[in-house]
């Protein structure tokens, strides 16, 4: 699939989008659905950057109400609703419990009032409306939560998601609508016309190790935390180096649910600095995050440090004292960079948490359009907005797209042909049943559930492949439910080009398996080797690269 994409880069596009995170994927889908010729160029795998390292929430951001960012919250809760409709398999309702203690800065009344506003901004179409839990209700619903000093806990609803998969399905849908999606292609420079305006990119295919010139009428920079670096690739001397972002690092840690189990996402404030943190249920695991510290190094190298892990464990043990989590309990970690747009306050620089999460779109004198900031939740609107900027430029060149953005009406691939039912649970059960039926005896019920959880209706394509070759139902790890067929699907349908792509972003085994996938990375490498005609040397290199990635995520232990 990747090779077919690379072969198609030899044409002139209307728009090249640099960066295959959620912002770039959203813009590519929007442009393709309007009938524009678009190429999405990503230097690593889709969602390699921040878009696989978020808190995995499609949310309005209750806490932004404190900064009176009503329009941001309104936009985000409206988008949350759209995402629940176009990706019901990926954007799932989740209850958020907000415990209030006698030492809390906010009273139960104030928090409840905030939740009224939050529900009102969603026009009372939240997954469920908020309610107040008394001290004794909390003891029943969240038995491990600290009870000392607890006054009550309002409960509100937002959504959880799989950030990497949301990005992936968005990019795949862009490709289905005609976009060329090229991964492992790094943009190194821009191409200029005789007026000095950008008319394409010079890129490097990191797999074939060849340079490619790709021509286009407009280039959009959607490289998130790399945004300034991309703008600084411009050969036009700027008066000074562009430095428009204020990047901050956010770390999450993952523990097994048998060590810390929560029924809801629990919102807590760090006992030392009062920063907001979440403990979020994640199937057999729970993740806790996030930190928020300034970060100025290379975004590709970001990783959790020991201080980050200690900080998160401290908060967790404060609110869940009986679980007594230690560093030994940490199964995995991830760290991401918020591409926040820098802003100055009268008294100097804004503190990290008060920097606006809203996005900015800028056009440089050489024509480069850059979009940065924003949230995973609002990606679809951001995509539409930046494409409208590009269309204005295209119109000056005589190219018009009369089609309006309709990405809010089109289901993402895993939601197409969604079983009609009034209840999400019933639809999911119907899909599990059909997946199991089509695959036959070789596929376990747990694996069928897992396939539906990950792929939605596309699970049926995987079960059909298992029906043809029952050996594909073999679990990748004897203690888990992911199966070999997922490796084939990742390669043939989801642009996976390395073992890391499959185990980190296509299946999440990296974060969830007790060995972080080290036990099955050889099987995956050999299977991919067979599908992609890799040499023995390449297979060994892939295993080595995966092992190094696991080591990097565990570096904080040293
Ligand atoms: P990225 O995902 O970083 O994508 C940029 C891409 O550009 C990368 O894949 C990179 O490889 C590529 N690239 C860079 N340079 C080049 C080049 N030269 N050539 C080709 N490709 C290049 N938002 C929410 O809505 N909900 C949340 O729960 C949430 N939690 C968050 C938690 C944390 C810790 C963080 C850090 C962010 C969170 N966010 C959340 C915000 C959200 O994740 C980001 O706004 C979003 O993922 C940014 O996506 P992006 O596409 O702009 O950037």
């Amino acid at each position: 699939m990747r090779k077919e994409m690379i072969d198609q880069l030899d044409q002139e596009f209307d728009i090249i989008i640099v960066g295959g995170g959620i912002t770039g994927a959203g813009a590519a889908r929007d442009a393709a659905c309007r009938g524009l010729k678009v190429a999405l160029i990503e230097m690593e795998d889709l969602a390699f950057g921040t878009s696989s390292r978020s808190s995995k929430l499609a949310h309005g951001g209750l806490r932004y109400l404190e900064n009176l960012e009503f329009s941001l919250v309104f936009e985000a809760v409206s988008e949350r609703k759209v995402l629940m409709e176009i990706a019901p398999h990926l954007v799932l309702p989740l209850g958020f419990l907000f415990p209030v203690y006698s030492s809390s800065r906010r009273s139960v009344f104030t928090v409840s009032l905030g939740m009224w506003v939050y529900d009102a901004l969603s026009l009372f179409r939240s997954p469920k409306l908020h309610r107040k839990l008394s001290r004794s209700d909390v003891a029943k619903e969240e038995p491990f939560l600290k009870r000392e000093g607890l006054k009550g806990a309002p409960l509100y609803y937002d959504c959880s998601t799989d950030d990497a998969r949301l990005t992936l399905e968005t990019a795949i849908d862009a490709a289905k609508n005609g976009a060329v999606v090229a991964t492992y292609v790094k943009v190194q420079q821009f191409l200029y016309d005789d007026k000095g305006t950008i008319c394409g990119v010079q890129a490097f295919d990191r797999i074939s190790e060849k340079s490619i010139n790709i021509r286009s009428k407009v280039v959009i920079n959607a490289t998130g935390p790399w945004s300034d670096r991309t703008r600084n690739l411009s050969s036009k001397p700027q008066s000074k180096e562009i430095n428009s972002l204020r990047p901050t690092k956010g770390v999450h840690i993952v523990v097994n649910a048998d060590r810390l189990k929560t029924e809801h996402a629990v919102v807590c404030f760090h006992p030392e600095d009062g920063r907001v943190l979440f403990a979020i249920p994640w199937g057999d695991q729970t993740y806790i995050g996030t930190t928020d510290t300034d970060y100025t190094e290379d975004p590709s190298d970001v990783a959790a440090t020991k201080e980050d892990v200690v900080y998160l464990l401290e908060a967790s043990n404060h609110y869940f004292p009986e679980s007594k989590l230690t560093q030994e309990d940490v199964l995995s970690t991830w760290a991401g960079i918020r591409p926040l747009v820098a802003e100055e306050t009268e008294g100097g620089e804004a503190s990290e948490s008060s920097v606006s999460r809203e996005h900015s779109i800028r056009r440089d004198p050489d024509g480069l359009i850059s979009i940065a900031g924003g949230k995973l939740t609002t990606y679809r609107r951001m995509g539409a907005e930046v494409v409208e900027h590009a269309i204005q430029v295209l119109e000056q060149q005589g190219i018009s797209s009369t089609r309006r953005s309709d990405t809010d009406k089109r289901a993402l691939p895993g939601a197409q042909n969604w079983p009609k039912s009034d209840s999400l649970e019933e639809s999911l059960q119907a899909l599990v049943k059909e997946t199991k039926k089509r695959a036959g005896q070789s596929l376990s019920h747990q694996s069928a559930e897992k396939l539906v959880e990950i792929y939605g209706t596309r699970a049926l394509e995987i079960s059909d492949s298992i029906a043809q070759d029952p050996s594909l139902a073999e679990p990748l790890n004897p203690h888990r439910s992911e199966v070999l067929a997922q490796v084939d699907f990742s390669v043939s349908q989801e642009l996976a080009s390395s073992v890391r792509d499959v185990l980190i972003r296509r299946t999440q085994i990296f974060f969830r398996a007790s060995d972080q996938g080290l036990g099955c990375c050889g099987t995956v490498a050999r299977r991919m080797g067979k599908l992609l005609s890799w040499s023995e040397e390449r297979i060994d290199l892939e295993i080595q690269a995966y092992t190094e990635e696991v080591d990097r995520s565990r570096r904080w232990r040293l």
Side-chain angles (χ1 to χ4, degrees), residues 1-9 205 495 497 532:
M1 188 179 181
R2 179 181 179 275
K3 186 170 178 314
E4 289 155 25
M5 292 288 178
I6 301 290
D7 289 346
Q8 291 178 59
L9 290 174
D205 178 345
L495 280 163
S497 301
L532 293 165

Side-chain angles (χ1 to χ4, degrees), residues 88-90 92 162 165 283-284 414 418 424-440 442-460 462-463 466 473 480-483 486 507-508 512:
H89 59 309
L90 287 180
L92 301 162
D162 173 345
R165 186 147 286 278
D284 294 337
W418 191 250
L424 175 65
E425 197 45 44
E426 268 177 32
S427 300
L428 292 171
Q429 283 313 319
L431 274 175
V432 172
K433 205 168 155 199
E434 183 64 15
T435 302
K436 176 85 186 80
K437 188 173 134 203
R438 288 208 201 174
S442 50
L443 188 74
S444 70
H445 186 76
Q446 286 96 317
S447 291
E449 280 184 333
K450 187 62 148 181
L451 292 180
V452 171
E453 177 192 316
I454 299 180
Y455 304 97
T457 51
R458 292 161 83 228
L460 301 177
I462 301 183
S463 57
I466 293 171
R480 299 193 52 82
S481 44
E482 294 86 0
V483 293
Q486 291 176 252
T507 61
Q508 297 180 334
R512 291 173 176 266

Side-chain angles (χ1 to χ4, degrees), residues 17-26 40-61 63-64 76 83 159 161 163 166-167 182 184-190 202-204 206 221-227 229-230 233 248-252 275 278 280 287 289-292 299-300 334-340 357 371-379 382:
I17 297 164
V18 189
I22 193 74
T23 309
L40 177 65
I41 311 293
E42 165 56 49
M43 68 176 175
E44 294 268 347
D45 182 23
L46 294 163
F48 163 79
T50 309
S51 300
S52 57
R53 303 153 190 252
S54 77
S55 300
K56 308 188 192 300
L57 303 174
H59 65 157
R63 68 186 148 135
Y64 305 138
L83 293 179
C159 290
T161 190
D163 48 5
L166 190 65
T167 307
Y184 291 95
V185 174
K186 180 171 184 177
V187 169
Q188 292 181 314
Q189 269 179 39
F190 296 112
Q202 191 200 84
F204 184 69
R206 297 177 54 213
N221 165 19
T223 54
W226 290 264
S227 179
R229 287 167 193 249
T230 307
L233 289 178
T248 71
K249 178 176 82 163
V251 169
H252 291 81
R275 256 194 53 70
F278 298 106
I280 300 180
Y287 61 87
T290 167
T291 60
D292 197 356
S300 302
W334 69 82
I337 313 281
R338 296 178 186 82
L340 302 184
R357 260 68 176 171
I371 176 161
K375 281 155 59 89
L376 191 76
T377 313
T378 50
Y379 84 92
M382 289 165 60

Side-chain angles (χ1 to χ4, degrees), residues 354-552:
S354 69
V355 173
S356 168
R357 260 68 176 171
E358 276 179 283
H359 62 275
S360 79
I361 298 177
R362 307 175 203 228
R363 185 153 180 242
D364 286 334
D366 57 10
L368 181 68
I369 299 175
S370 295
I371 176 161
K375 281 155 59 89
L376 191 76
T377 313
T378 50
Y379 84 92
R380 203 195 54 79
R381 282 205 196 186
M382 289 165 60
E385 207 181 304
V386 73
V387 169
E388 268 151 29
H389 272 71
I391 287 174
Q392 283 172 16
V393 178
L394 289 172
E395 279 171 352
Q396 287 159 14
Q397 300 182 37
I399 297 155
S400 61
S401 162
T402 47
R403 284 203 229 163
R404 292 175 67 81
S405 174
D406 62 353
T407 51
D408 56 338
K409 308 273 179 320
R410 293 173 181 246
L412 286 181
Q416 287 165 9
N417 305 316
W418 191 250
K420 297 247 174 315
S421 161
D422 289 339
S423 123
L424 175 65
E425 197 45 44
E426 268 177 32
S427 300
L428 292 171
Q429 283 313 319
L431 274 175
V432 172
K433 205 168 155 199
E434 183 64 15
T435 302
K436 176 85 186 80
K437 188 173 134 203
R438 288 208 201 174
Q441 286 308 312
S442 50
L443 188 74
S444 70
H445 186 76
Q446 286 96 317
S447 291
E449 280 184 333
K450 187 62 148 181
L451 292 180
V452 171
E453 177 192 316
I454 299 180
Y455 304 97
T457 51
R458 292 161 83 228
L460 301 177
E461 292 174 48
I462 301 183
S463 57
D464 287 346
S465 69
I466 293 171
Q468 283 180 10
D469 178 359
S471 71
L472 292 176
E474 186 69 30
L476 289 174
N477 171 321
H479 308 293
R480 299 193 52 82
S481 44
E482 294 86 0
V483 293
L484 191 60
Q486 291 176 252
V487 180
D488 290 34
F489 194 74
S490 302
V491 170
S492 66
Q493 305 299 321
E494 298 201 314
L495 280 163
S497 301
S498 83
V499 170
R500 283 162 297 163
D501 301 352
V502 174
L503 291 178
I504 300 176
R505 288 165 292 268
R506 304 295 181 287
T507 61
Q508 297 180 334
I509 288 174
F510 177 90
F511 300 108
R512 291 173 176 266
S514 54
D515 66 351
Q516 290 198 260
L518 289 174
C520 66
C521 70
T523 308
V524 174
R526 279 185 289 279
R527 183 74 193 174
M528 291 184 79
K530 193 167 163 207
L531 297 168
L532 293 165
S533 310
W534 287 349
S535 64
E536 280 304 314
E537 190 194 356
R538 169 80 193 267
I539 292 173
D540 289 345
L541 283 173
E542 283 289 329
I543 296 171
Q544 190 188 329
Y546 186 74
T547 312
E548 280 169 14
E549 195 62 44
V550 173
D551 287 347
R552 213 158 65 85

